[in-house]
Amino acid sequence: MIAKKELKFFTLKDLDRIPELSKLPEEELFGLKLAAKVFPFRVNNYVLEELIDWTNIPDDPMFRLVFPMGEMLETQHYYLMKQGVEEELPPKELKKIINEIRYDLNPHPDGQLTHNVPLLDGEIVRGVQHKYRETVLVFPSSGQTCHSYCTFCFRWAQFAGMTDLKFATDESKRFQEYLRSHKEVTDVLFTGGDPMIMKVQKLKIYLEPLLSEGFEHIQNIRIGTKSISYWPYRYLTDDDSREILELFEKIVKSGKHLAIMAHFNHWREIETEAAREAIRTIRSTGAEIRSQSPVLRHINDSADVWQKMWKEQVKLGVVPYYMFIERDTGAHHYFAVPLAEALEIFREAYSHVSGLSRTVRGPSMSSTPGKIAIEGTATINGEKVFVLNFLQGRNSDWVKRPFFAEYDETATWLDELRPAFGEEKFFFEDELNKILRHKAIEEKLAG
Ligand SMILES: *Cc1c(COP(=O)(O)O)cnc(C)c1O
Ligand code: SF4
């Protein structure tokens, strides 16, 4: 039996209440305190007590996952902050510096806020993104926070209060109406933040209507969550844990597929008794758990980590799903792994696991045109190239049409790649521009 744990959050103002931090050399602790003012910081008692190995800080990957460090700031930003703090600037002025740094960190990568918002009767459906034909993303307004914040999160700007939660749908029926009128949609993916931060009563408001008449075309309900890593007690001992599991059972009994899209960055996250019990319990409802993660410098940039993670997952009944490339935002310079290296990590890990783990795809970039996987390298007519492939395309017809880019050892994203064989552009570019222009006009008309 797992004993009940009460969720306790620690934020910037509570740093002094985490005594283990005093084990850090003074300069590192100073850097941590600077970085925690710039990047959103939140951690809970489970992560502090059960995940982090305090004998191995700051190198412990679980520590790096949640604690901002001085090195996550670029040098010039570090010195700006250091100066501001040492000169004891009034809070308002320090805030100004913090905001300038944040705007320097590409807070809204890849047109996140604007490109994929759908329309219904000529009006924007807030809190919904519809990019790939079959799958609609929903951002419940009360699910836009997490049980801890990841230092590398590409949605960090939202937690830093830089967006007006434009995404977040209110409890209104708009997204349901939208789904009702889009029969091509088979999948609804609830995301955030972390939707599992919501109490069961809130969750029901979103999930239960999809089980009723008019939504027969919705075959798969997915919930994107890091709760198994950050708060497994969500499924074990929280006051509404029992009801959460009953809700999952109800969805499965209705005949739909319920997929928990878990976010695991390292095998350490599924080593604790609580995490394992949470996985067992969720699976006992009939829900499937799939897993995804970006490849991250300082956290999981080794084939061994991935290999072990996939094997452990398969053993626990979790299906490896995606390896992502980290987006260019926030502390990107700290976490970035070049595409060529990510490919090697993937290849090396993939070649050492059985077919049950080879459900995983990647490394993949969630970019403006679509999810693009780096499938491998090849030498064609004497030119070394990356072989790329759309796993998802803004136009679904782009999928599974391998294309080529010049091999580039340092590139970390699509926009740094050039078409191979001296071609001027990639095959999808003209059409992509047309689609984006069309969307922009539509959105302007919708106001
Ligand atoms: C990844 C993603 C999806 C889901 O794609 P699958 O390949 O079906 O998992 C849907 N919408 C957006 C915007 C995505 O980035
Ligand atoms: S749990 Fe997900 S959304 Fe929340 S901070 Fe981590 S990566 Fe970001």
PDB file of all heavy atoms in Angstrom, residues 34 36 39 41 57 158 174 352 358 364 414:
ATOM      1  N   LEU A  34      19.114  33.289  -9.401  1.00  0.00           N
ATOM      2  CA  LEU A  34      18.933  34.239 -10.517  1.00  0.00           C
ATOM      3  C   LEU A  34      18.032  33.618 -11.580  1.00  0.00           C
ATOM      4  O   LEU A  34      17.076  34.240 -12.053  1.00  0.00           O
ATOM      5  CB  LEU A  34      20.283  34.579 -11.162  1.00  0.00           C
ATOM      6  CG  LEU A  34      21.293  35.401 -10.371  1.00  0.00           C
ATOM      7  CD1 LEU A  34      22.478  35.736 -11.279  1.00  0.00           C
ATOM      8  CD2 LEU A  34      20.669  36.664  -9.817  1.00  0.00           C
ATOM      9  N   ALA A  36      15.930  31.226 -11.410  1.00  0.00           N
ATOM     10  CA  ALA A  36      14.552  30.952 -10.975  1.00  0.00           C
ATOM     11  C   ALA A  36      13.686  32.210 -11.001  1.00  0.00           C
ATOM     12  O   ALA A  36      12.469  32.132 -10.877  1.00  0.00           O
ATOM     13  CB  ALA A  36      14.550  30.333  -9.578  1.00  0.00           C
ATOM     14  N   PHE A  39      13.076  32.023 -15.316  1.00  0.00           N
ATOM     15  CA  PHE A  39      12.262  30.889 -15.775  1.00  0.00           C
ATOM     16  C   PHE A  39      11.224  30.555 -14.720  1.00  0.00           C
ATOM     17  O   PHE A  39      11.471  30.708 -13.525  1.00  0.00           O
ATOM     18  CB  PHE A  39      13.169  29.675 -16.015  1.00  0.00           C
ATOM     19  CG  PHE A  39      14.206  29.912 -17.073  1.00  0.00           C
ATOM     20  CD1 PHE A  39      15.543  30.038 -16.746  1.00  0.00           C
ATOM     21  CD2 PHE A  39      13.828  30.039 -18.403  1.00  0.00           C
ATOM     22  CE1 PHE A  39      16.505  30.273 -17.723  1.00  0.00           C
ATOM     23  CE2 PHE A  39      14.778  30.276 -19.392  1.00  0.00           C
ATOM     24  CZ  PHE A  39      16.121  30.392 -19.045  1.00  0.00           C
ATOM     25  N   PHE A  41       9.396  28.680 -12.010  1.00  0.00           N
ATOM     26  CA  PHE A  41       9.892  27.637 -11.116  1.00  0.00           C
ATOM     27  C   PHE A  41       8.789  27.162 -10.183  1.00  0.00           C
ATOM     28  O   PHE A  41       8.119  27.951  -9.531  1.00  0.00           O
ATOM     29  CB  PHE A  41      11.085  28.153 -10.296  1.00  0.00           C
ATOM     30  CG  PHE A  41      11.453  27.231  -9.158  1.00  0.00           C
ATOM     31  CD1 PHE A  41      11.999  25.983  -9.422  1.00  0.00           C
ATOM     32  CD2 PHE A  41      11.202  27.589  -7.840  1.00  0.00           C
ATOM     33  CE1 PHE A  41      12.305  25.105  -8.390  1.00  0.00           C
ATOM     34  CE2 PHE A  41      11.501  26.721  -6.800  1.00  0.00           C
ATOM     35  CZ  PHE A  41      12.061  25.483  -7.071  1.00  0.00           C
ATOM     36  N   ILE A  57      23.655  16.272  -6.749  1.00  0.00           N
ATOM     37  CA  ILE A  57      23.289  17.561  -7.360  1.00  0.00           C
ATOM     38  C   ILE A  57      24.571  18.364  -7.603  1.00  0.00           C
ATOM     39  O   ILE A  57      25.539  18.168  -6.869  1.00  0.00           O
ATOM     40  CB  ILE A  57      22.293  18.355  -6.483  1.00  0.00           C
ATOM     41  CG1 ILE A  57      22.918  18.677  -5.118  1.00  0.00           C
ATOM     42  CG2 ILE A  57      20.993  17.620  -6.326  1.00  0.00           C
ATOM     43  CD1 ILE A  57      22.127  19.699  -4.328  1.00  0.00           C
ATOM     44  N   GLN A 158       3.921  30.704 -20.969  1.00  0.00           N
ATOM     45  CA  GLN A 158       2.578  30.667 -20.394  1.00  0.00           C
ATOM     46  C   GLN A 158       2.642  30.683 -18.862  1.00  0.00           C
ATOM     47  O   GLN A 158       1.882  31.387 -18.200  1.00  0.00           O
ATOM     48  CB  GLN A 158       1.913  29.400 -20.921  1.00  0.00           C
ATOM     49  CG  GLN A 158       0.672  28.975 -20.230  1.00  0.00           C
ATOM     50  CD  GLN A 158       0.084  27.722 -20.907  1.00  0.00           C
ATOM     51  OE1 GLN A 158       0.226  27.502 -22.102  1.00  0.00           O
ATOM     52  NE2 GLN A 158      -0.566  26.899 -20.131  1.00  0.00           N
ATOM     53  N   ARG A 174     -18.204  25.597 -26.893  1.00  0.00           N
ATOM     54  CA  ARG A 174     -17.719  25.900 -28.247  1.00  0.00           C
ATOM     55  C   ARG A 174     -16.891  24.777 -28.846  1.00  0.00           C
ATOM     56  O   ARG A 174     -17.044  24.436 -30.014  1.00  0.00           O
ATOM     57  CB  ARG A 174     -16.895  27.194 -28.238  1.00  0.00           C
ATOM     58  CG  ARG A 174     -17.725  28.432 -28.004  1.00  0.00           C
ATOM     59  CD  ARG A 174     -18.302  29.003 -29.265  1.00  0.00           C
ATOM     60  NE  ARG A 174     -17.254  29.502 -30.170  1.00  0.00           N
ATOM     61  CZ  ARG A 174     -17.463  29.787 -31.444  1.00  0.00           C
ATOM     62  NH1 ARG A 174     -18.652  29.626 -31.968  1.00  0.00           N
ATOM     63  NH2 ARG A 174     -16.479  30.226 -32.191  1.00  0.00           N
ATOM     64  N   HIS A 352      19.208  -1.344 -30.178  1.00  0.00           N
ATOM     65  CA  HIS A 352      19.448  -2.248 -29.058  1.00  0.00           C
ATOM     66  C   HIS A 352      18.177  -2.673 -28.325  1.00  0.00           C
ATOM     67  O   HIS A 352      18.247  -3.149 -27.193  1.00  0.00           O
ATOM     68  CB  HIS A 352      20.408  -1.605 -28.047  1.00  0.00           C
ATOM     69  CG  HIS A 352      21.833  -1.657 -28.503  1.00  0.00           C
ATOM     70  ND1 HIS A 352      22.414  -0.630 -29.204  1.00  0.00           N
ATOM     71  CD2 HIS A 352      22.770  -2.618 -28.385  1.00  0.00           C
ATOM     72  CE1 HIS A 352      23.673  -0.954 -29.484  1.00  0.00           C
ATOM     73  NE2 HIS A 352      23.910  -2.150 -29.006  1.00  0.00           N
ATOM     74  N   ARG A 358      10.092  -0.639 -30.633  1.00  0.00           N
ATOM     75  CA  ARG A 358      10.289   0.094 -31.891  1.00  0.00           C
ATOM     76  C   ARG A 358       8.998   0.694 -32.434  1.00  0.00           C
ATOM     77  O   ARG A 358       8.894   1.026 -33.616  1.00  0.00           O
ATOM     78  CB  ARG A 358      10.965  -0.817 -32.919  1.00  0.00           C
ATOM     79  CG  ARG A 358      12.389  -1.119 -32.520  1.00  0.00           C
ATOM     80  CD  ARG A 358      13.161  -1.840 -33.593  1.00  0.00           C
ATOM     81  NE  ARG A 358      14.469  -2.257 -33.078  1.00  0.00           N
ATOM     82  CZ  ARG A 358      15.334  -2.967 -33.775  1.00  0.00           C
ATOM     83  NH1 ARG A 358      15.056  -3.322 -35.000  1.00  0.00           N
ATOM     84  NH2 ARG A 358      16.492  -3.299 -33.229  1.00  0.00           N
ATOM     85  N   SER A 364      11.935  13.757 -33.989  1.00  0.00           N
ATOM     86  CA  SER A 364      10.964  14.497 -34.795  1.00  0.00           C
ATOM     87  C   SER A 364      10.866  15.963 -34.354  1.00  0.00           C
ATOM     88  O   SER A 364      10.896  16.267 -33.174  1.00  0.00           O
ATOM     89  CB  SER A 364       9.598  13.812 -34.648  1.00  0.00           C
ATOM     90  OG  SER A 364       8.578  14.644 -35.115  1.00  0.00           O
ATOM     91  N   LEU A 414      14.773  22.683 -38.291  1.00  0.00           N
ATOM     92  CA  LEU A 414      14.453  22.705 -39.714  1.00  0.00           C
ATOM     93  C   LEU A 414      14.938  23.976 -40.416  1.00  0.00           C
ATOM     94  O   LEU A 414      15.428  23.925 -41.543  1.00  0.00           O
ATOM     95  CB  LEU A 414      12.929  22.563 -39.870  1.00  0.00           C
ATOM     96  CG  LEU A 414      12.360  22.516 -41.277  1.00  0.00           C
ATOM     97  CD1 LEU A 414      12.853  21.281 -42.020  1.00  0.00           C
ATOM     98  CD2 LEU A 414      10.833  22.519 -41.233  1.00  0.00           C
TER      99      LEU A 414
END
